[in-house]
Amino acid sequence: MARYRNILILGTSHIAKESIERVKEAIEKTQPEVIALELDEGRLRSLTTKKKASKKEIIKVLGIKGFLFNSIGAGIEQYLGKKTGIIPGTEMKTAIEIAKEKNIKIAVIDQPIQITIRKLVSSITRKEIKTFIKEFLSSLISTKKQEKFDLNKIPSQRLIKELIKETKEKYPSIYKVLVQERNVYMAKKLNKLRETYPKQQILAIVGAGHEKDIIGELKSIEKQKQV
């Protein structure tokens, strides 16, 4: 868990059992007045309601290509979630439930998914798509790469650094849209929360791959204001 001013950032894995316990422990230990989540309004609703959007409704928001990209990403996450016995996003749902029980304010800080998907569809290259398909099919056959991971645990910072470096090299467009730009967006949202609640403890729960860079972006925002 990293700290910047009155913001604590907890990095999680959306399919790891360890993440659920870490969320519970972090809320109990830090007693935050605000919990900020790596979600947008739409995903927050989908986690807190039994009614799910139909394919037609999703296509209307994301477009056909966007729907396909989103379905692939969700399918992979569900596939991995079955290996751990955890429904993707359970750690976020756990945080929401605790926040409601303890009357803690909830804030969503992620970029709306329709914007993210639209950017991804327009920027991803054919080379990246071919590389992704090749690597995904290869990972289903070979277990060598899977041996690096314990899906039940949050990846170490060393492993995260390796994965980010690999993503930058092989999938520059995907990295830019899904990681870099969202880090900037979430940092700006957290900075606004910090300004709104300057004396209150804010606990941000995000994917472990975002934790370090969001701190860097928050520091950068403050430096820019001082110039």
Side-chain angles (χ1 to χ4, degrees), residues 65-79 129 132-133 136:
K65 285 185 179 179
F67 171 75
L68 290 173
F69 274 91
N70 188 59
S71 297
I72 291 167
I76 291 170
E77 205 167 42
Q78 286 168 8
Y79 168 76
I129 293 171
F132 175 79
I133 292 170
F136 178 67

Side-chain angles (χ1 to χ4, degrees), residues 69 119-126 128-129 132 171 173-174:
F69 274 91
K119 287 181 176 180
L120 183 62
V121 169
S122 65
S123 63
I124 194 168
T125 64
R126 288 184 179 181
E128 287 173 304
I129 293 171
F132 175 79
Y171 310 103
S173 299
I174 293 175

